[in-house]
Amino acid sequence: TQVISITYEHRAVLATAARALKPGGVLLLTVPGISHQAEPDGERYPDHWRFTWRAIDRLLHEAFGDSAEVDVSAAGTVPACAASLYGLPAEVLPRAALDPHDPDYEMVICGRAVKPGGPPAAMPRSRS
């Protein structure tokens, strides 16, 4: 997870992932939205990109084709982003600070793409 932002050729990586999957195979992807930047000169894998849900949606459709089943969502709030930037865990925030998602503050973007041609992929059932 969270590797597309440190991969300079992100389109090529997504195209390779799409080719590697069998028909009906599923790619799960997460990318950082608002977050600190890795130190470019001190990191083995420096940051190159930041994405929005719209960009991930477009990139997944480019890699998997317009007929692919693609679902993209984002999560974040101002307090959650601030806590993350300060290095604080979510557990120190009151639950009300984490919900509902504020679309102007995407902290993490999640994508799911199904390679066309296979049986419909079932969404995992939530454990409540």
Side-chain angles (χ1 to χ4, degrees):
T1 62
Q2 308 261 343
V3 296
I4 297 299
S5 62
I6 62 172
T7 305
Y8 190 77
E9 297 292 340
H10 58 273
R11 281 187 168 92
V13 169
L14 291 173
T16 299
R19 278 193 311 274
L21 289 171
K22 66 180 183 176
V26 179
L27 173 74
L28 300 176
L29 167 79
T30 63
V31 297
I34 299 171
S35 68
H36 71 282
Q37 176 180 319
E39 174 58 42
D41 297 328
E43 295 288 327
R44 184 171 177 188
Y45 303 105
D47 281 329
H48 292 287
W49 311 103
R50 285 292 181 257
F51 300 98
T52 63
W53 75 264
R54 284 179 183 86
I56 294 300
D57 185 74
R58 183 174 175 176
L59 288 167
L60 289 175
H61 276 102
E62 286 176 4
F64 283 80
D66 287 332
S67 65
E69 179 187 330
V70 172
D71 297 300
V72 178
S73 63
T77 65
V78 171
C81 289
S84 176
L85 291 172
Y86 282 110
L88 302 173
E91 293 80 14
V92 303
L93 296 174
R95 181 73 179 150
L98 300 175
D99 286 320
H101 163 63
D102 185 337
D104 291 332
Y105 295 90
E106 297 177 344
M107 192 172 81
V108 64
I109 297 103
C110 305
R112 178 180 180 273
V114 181
K115 185 170 182 172
M123 287 291 289
R125 291 186 182 190
S126 147
R127 297 181 189 205
S128 345

